[in-house]
Amino acid sequence: MALIVQKFGGTSVANCDKIRNVAKRVVKLAQFGNRMVVVLSAMAGETNRFVELAIQMQKLPDQREMDVLLSTGEQVTVALFAMAVRDEGVECVSLLGDQIKIVTDSVHTKARIKHIDSELINHHLDAGRIVVVAGFQGVTESGDITTLGRGGSDTTAVALAAALRADQCEIFTDVEGVYTTDPNVCDKARKIERISYDEMLELASLGAKVLDIRSVGLAKRYKVPVHVRSTFTETEGTWVVEEDKNMESMLVSGVTYNKHEARITITRVPDTPGIASRLFTPISEAGIVVDMIIQNTRSGNLTDMTFTVPRPDYDRAMKIVEGVARDIGAERVSGSKDIAKISIVGVGMRNHSGIANTMFGVLAREGINILMISTSEIKISCVIEEKYSELAVRALHDAFALDKDFVPLEQAN
Ligand code: ASP
Ligand code: MG
């Protein structure tokens, strides 16, 4: 008998028929003798609808009241789900974050879980009930309702799995798992069977949307194996687990692209101490997150700096940089929104040299100019012109033979 936590996303519970299907699926597992804890999101689109309602009332909605509003979507789905299970003749109880006591800090709309009381859930499981928990919500020590940030139901599921020491944590969504790249861009994209937490963190931060990134960090910390899979099929999805030997021998696990950034270059900046700080302090004070930064040293004590910012922040960042440029006597500020960041990710990179060269060679052969490069232990990213991003993704996917399950090292080099 296993303790299984299963989370179903908004598209999986988008209407009554879908909720009933999910309920039937869960009941089957319960009837095999498993202890079942189910976490649900709100019906697809509901949370967005609440946000729109809120801004009709108050331009900048009060954050405490926002959480009271946002948390209602999950209250609806868990109640309907419990009814559907009972309709199958099986006992089920719905629980909200404040009933269980999923205790969070008081940062409304993006609260962090501090601890979870497992007593009430265990009590109901012992009594033979299926327990369905509202995702995305918690409660502060002083009793205020909080939410965990958009996409936060994944975090609820992983945190519950950790707190209850579940045997399995399954995240059901509308795709079959994590792919080697975006199947819409590359028809050879393949579902990955097993991927490490660290790779998943890189892929998630680079734009793969299957799993909320905070839940992956939590899964890593508490060593919770997570199975991402589709609600609409029975096929195995992707396991996100601790790193193992097989993963290391895969050089690259995935290729991602990100079109959400823009580039800013400031030319002929005096190369003196404190310049970077004068440039980046006002940008960060404006709440703009800088990603890649490159500084090239030039002769004559002048240097160039290039960095990327989120595309929606480009105009604001440009204004700030133009101001700083005047103050510090830089020659010119230029920039472009038409860039894309292409990245390859894989724990195999730790032990194998030459992977960066392969990447650069592939881009060169396709005639794609690299504008910026950055690397981490398990990731290499290149900024290129946006119009080449699909071509680059396909070429890299081919070069690292990601359509094949397993690639001998010699072949990839
Ligand atoms: N309903 C929330 C959202 O749309 C939480 C979730 O679905 O994970 O962000
Ligand atoms: Mg989600």
Side-chain angles (χ1 to χ4, degrees):
M1 195 170 70
L3 172 57
I4 304 176
V5 174
Q6 294 193 324
K7 179 256 168 178
F8 294 86
T11 49
S12 308
V13 292
N15 56 43
C16 287
D17 284 344
K18 289 187 173 168
I19 293 176
R20 192 177 292 283
N21 286 338
V22 170
K24 285 191 168 145
R25 194 171 177 150
V26 171
V27 163
K28 219 186 281 168
L29 282 172
Q31 285 171 338
F32 283 135
N34 298 297
R35 289 156 74 90
M36 300 299 298
V37 175
V38 177
V39 176
L40 300 182
S41 288
M43 291 183 184
E46 279 296 88
T47 313
N48 288 340
R49 190 170 71 84
F50 297 146
V51 172
E52 275 155 29
L53 290 176
I55 54 186
Q56 285 182 41
M57 288 300 149
Q58 206 183 359
K59 227 185 241 144
L60 286 174
D62 180 84
Q63 297 289 285
R64 180 189 180 279
E65 302 313 326
M66 192 69 173
D67 275 347
V68 174
L69 176 65
L70 292 184
S71 61
T72 58
E74 276 72 11
Q75 180 162 350
V76 171
T77 47
V78 293
L80 292 174
F81 177 91
M83 292 173 195
V85 172
R86 284 170 183 275
D87 199 44
E88 299 288 313
V90 174
E91 285 225 39
C92 180
V93 60
S94 67
L95 295 175
L96 304 179
D98 63 326
Q99 292 176 296
I100 297 168
K101 299 235 180 302
I102 298 182
V103 178
T104 70
D105 62 21
S106 52
V107 184
H108 283 290
T109 73
K110 31 183 173 311
R112 291 174 73 96
I113 297 177
K114 294 211 284 199
H115 57 89
I116 294 182
D117 218 336
S118 45
E119 208 180 299
L120 185 59
I121 296 181
N122 279 325
H123 160 76
H124 286 297
L125 289 173
D126 289 344
R129 298 185 186 111
I130 292 174
V131 176
V132 56
V133 175
F136 176 55
Q137 55 178 256
V139 64
T140 64
E141 305 273 10
S142 55
D144 281 326
I145 293 174
T146 52
T147 62
L148 309 179
R150 298 305 305 272
S153 296
D154 293 349
T155 300
T156 306
V158 172
L160 275 176
L164 299 168
R165 297 184 211 295
D167 299 290
Q168 261 185 58
C169 179
E170 300 196 291
I171 306 282
F172 286 82
T173 177
D174 50 6
V175 295
E176 292 202 350
V178 181
Y179 282 76
T180 49
T181 194
D182 181 351
N184 298 317
V185 166
C186 176
D187 54 15
K188 292 188 198 160
R190 184 177 55 81
K191 188 174 69 199
I192 301 173
E193 271 165 44
R194 291 166 72 78
I195 189 165
S196 70
Y197 296 121
D198 286 329
E199 288 168 314
M200 193 62 223
L201 284 170
E202 292 286 5
L203 292 177
S205 68
L206 295 170
K209 287 177 278 315
V210 265
L211 257 187
D212 185 55
I213 185 161
R214 288 159 306 163
S215 70
V216 184
L218 205 61
K220 179 183 169 178
R221 180 141 32 103
Y222 293 99
K223 298 189 175 30
V224 178
V226 176
H227 186 195
V228 187
R229 58 189 306 190
S230 164
T231 308
F232 308 110
T233 66
E234 294 289 334
T235 30
E236 281 269 307
T238 301
W239 282 93
V240 188
V241 291
E242 283 194 279
E243 198 173 319
D244 64 34
K245 278 274 167 302
N246 277 345
M247 294 175 184
E248 270 172 45
S249 47
M250 286 295 287
L251 295 178
V252 171
S253 300
V255 180
T256 64
Y257 65 94
N258 173 344
K259 296 183 180 177
H260 306 303
E261 289 183 34
R263 173 187 62 83
I264 297 178
T265 300
I266 169 164
T267 317
R268 295 176 75 82
V269 183
D271 192 11
T272 53
I275 287 293
S277 159
R278 280 184 69 181
L279 179 60
F280 292 113
T281 303
I283 297 177
S284 85
E285 277 170 1
I288 299 172
V289 181
V290 172
D291 181 23
M292 277 194 210
I293 303 176
I294 289 179
Q295 174 178 341
N296 5 5
T297 309
R298 303 207 321 191
S299 55
N301 241 4
L302 292 173
T303 184
D304 297 342
M305 274 195 218
T306 300
F307 56 93
T308 61
V309 294
R311 222 178 262 187
D313 295 331
Y314 176 77
D315 294 334
R316 262 188 333 131
M318 256 325 223
K319 251 204 203 98
I320 295 170
V321 176
E322 276 162 1
V324 177
R326 265 194 306 277
D327 290 349
I328 61 179
E331 189 181 281
R332 207 168 87 85
V333 179
S334 60
S336 160
K337 287 189 187 179
D338 305 324
I339 60 160
K341 185 168 72 179
I342 310 292
S343 307
I344 56 176
V345 173
V347 290
M349 284 181 209
R350 285 204 192 105
N351 309 320
H352 301 287
S353 56
I355 297 191
N357 283 339
T358 306
M359 180 176 192
F360 304 152
V362 168
L363 296 177
R365 267 201 302 283
E366 300 294 335
I368 301 171
N369 191 28
I370 300 173
L371 306 171
M372 300 170 85
I373 300 169
S374 86
T375 64
S376 81
E377 214 191 355
I378 63 165
K379 178 187 78 176
I380 304 166
S381 302
C382 293
V383 170
I384 62 173
E385 279 181 73
E386 179 177 349
K387 63 182 177 198
Y388 295 124
S389 51
E390 279 80 12
L391 174 65
V393 166
R394 286 193 283 264
L396 289 166
H397 199 271
D398 276 347
F400 290 102
L402 293 184
D403 54 330
K404 312 250 167 33
D405 212 359
F406 200 80
V407 193
L409 299 183
E410 316 78 64
Q411 205 177 306
N413 276 318

